Amino acid sequence: MSDPQPQPLQEEEEEDPNLKLPFFPPPPPFYQHFTTENKSRLKEIENEAALDTLTEDDSAAKLSAEQILALPTELRCLIPPSPPADDQEFKVFGTITIAKGSDSFQKTMQWISRTLAVDYTLTGWKYEQLYPSTDASSSASASIDRQRYLFRFLRSILVAYIELLGIVAINPTSEHKDQKLKDILTMVTNMHSLINEYRPHQARETLILEMQRQVERKKREIEGVRKMEERVGEVLEGFGREVSGEKSEESGLNEEEVVLGEDERRSEAQKEMWRALEETLAQ
């Protein structure tokens, strides 16, 4: 029996370039709708809607939800969504928050209260603010003397601690002991809240200090470059004087000796420049 003849290999089909996927995914197709023509069409529709519905101050009203849904897809993408309400909840990295921001300090105080209640340490303690509100909408936020309140809380804590020692010395199981501990904890948390209000000032001062350090560092670098420039200039000037002084001596030498002399002088000049650079950078 004769051996079966090997079948010729099929030529590999050329790979379709359309099947090659890019390294990064393509952008969403919405950007294709942001054209001058679509913007003009949307502007005309908004002007027509404004003529039909004018507010009391003769300002153009925005498109309603029904009008936006009736728009073509290429025009509907041009209208940005309305911002969320202040009390609307949404998730950020898996954490539920609200648009106006969450008060992490209040949450921390609630956690402390629950922890103390679970451990039966101070049952029923709740945080109470003992100083005027410092919200941006409050008129007292600009006139409040935080340092004065901090000193008040500090003196009150010292007095309350002395009273606590007297209570414990007389009757360690007295109910007044727990109440005094609650008062001390309330004043300590109020001091903590007041100190946190200095954070924006601390951030501003830290930024100013860092910028001053950068300016000083740049000045030192510029001064170092100037010193290096002067040092290199002195080296080159001295090298030029040596070359001009030795030219007269080389008139009686042959060509090979002249070339060797130039190489040595060039090498010495390079060494001097590197030495000057190291001295400048080491300062």
Side-chain angles (χ1 to χ4, degrees):
M1 296 178 62
S2 60
D3 296 335
Q5 297 293 332
Q7 297 181 356
L9 297 176
Q10 296 181 355
E11 296 182 358
E12 296 182 358
E13 297 181 357
E14 295 183 358
E15 188 176 2
D16 188 359
N18 296 327
L19 297 178
K20 293 182 179 179
L21 298 177
F23 185 76
F24 293 101
F30 304 110
Y31 77 97
Q32 300 176 358
H33 302 319
F34 287 83
T35 60
T36 306
E37 181 182 357
N38 289 342
K39 290 182 179 179
S40 301
R41 290 172 55 192
L42 180 62
K43 188 66 175 178
E44 293 176 358
I45 295 175
E46 290 179 347
N47 293 336
E48 292 177 359
L51 294 176
D52 297 337
T53 56
L54 289 177
T55 58
E56 296 179 356
D57 55 352
D58 296 337
S59 60
K62 296 182 179 180
L63 296 177
S64 61
E66 293 78 6
Q67 292 173 333
I68 293 176
L69 292 176
L71 292 175
T73 305
E74 63 272 11
L75 299 183
R76 198 184 309 161
C77 298
L78 303 182
I79 301 177
S82 57
D86 292 341
D87 55 349
Q88 183 177 353
E89 294 184 352
F90 56 93
K91 288 187 177 181
V92 178
F93 298 107
T95 303
I96 298 178
T97 183
I98 56 178
K100 66 178 180 180
S102 58
D103 192 350
S104 58
F105 181 78
Q106 291 293 338
K107 291 183 178 180
T108 304
M109 295 298 103
Q110 294 174 4
W111 177 82
I112 293 175
S113 178
R114 291 194 301 268
T115 304
L116 294 176
V118 170
D119 297 341
Y120 299 100
T121 305
L122 289 177
T123 306
W125 177 84
K126 291 184 179 180
Y127 172 75
E128 179 184 0
Q129 184 171 321
L130 303 179
Y131 58 91
S133 177
T134 56
D135 296 336
S137 59
S138 176
S139 59
S141 60
S143 59
I144 182 175
D145 189 355
R146 296 175 178 83
Q147 185 177 4
R148 181 165 60 91
Y149 280 99
L150 287 173
F151 278 117
R152 283 184 178 182
F153 289 140
L154 180 59
R155 287 191 291 266
S156 300
I157 290 173
L158 293 176
V159 173
Y161 181 72
I162 295 174
E163 294 176 354
L164 177 63
L165 292 179
I167 294 173
V168 174
I170 297 174
N171 184 8
T173 61
S174 175
E175 297 180 356
H176 299 287
K177 178 192 67 174
D178 293 341
Q179 183 60 39
K180 192 61 62 175
L181 287 173
K182 292 179 182 179
D183 295 341
I184 294 175
L185 181 57
T186 301
M187 288 184 286
V188 170
T189 52
N190 275 267
M191 290 185 67
H192 181 70
S193 178
L194 276 174
I195 292 173
N196 281 340
E197 295 184 3
Y198 283 101
R199 296 297 184 184
H201 306 281
Q202 180 187 12
R204 182 171 61 252
E205 294 298 328
T206 304
L207 179 60
I208 293 174
L209 181 60
E210 183 62 28
M211 294 178 67
Q212 290 176 350
R213 290 176 180 174
Q214 292 182 4
V215 170
E216 294 296 331
R217 185 170 64 251
K218 295 296 182 182
K219 288 182 178 179
R220 290 195 299 268
E221 292 177 358
I222 294 173
E223 187 65 23
V225 171
R226 289 177 179 174
K227 290 182 179 180
M228 182 177 63
E229 181 183 3
E230 295 176 358
R231 179 64 175 167
V232 172
E234 294 176 359
V235 172
L236 293 177
E237 185 178 356
F239 177 69
R241 288 196 299 267
E242 292 179 1
V243 171
S244 60
E246 293 178 359
K247 281 185 178 179
S248 58
E249 300 178 0
E250 294 176 353
S251 57
L253 301 176
N254 54 27
E255 184 177 355
E256 294 181 357
E257 293 177 347
V258 171
V259 172
L260 291 176
E262 291 179 354
D263 293 340
E264 292 177 357
R265 287 194 297 271
R266 188 180 299 108
S267 177
E268 290 296 330
Q270 292 177 355
K271 291 179 180 179
E272 287 293 331
M273 284 188 290
W274 281 110
R275 190 179 298 110
L277 180 61
E278 291 177 356
E279 292 177 358
T280 304
L281 296 179
Q283 294 179 356

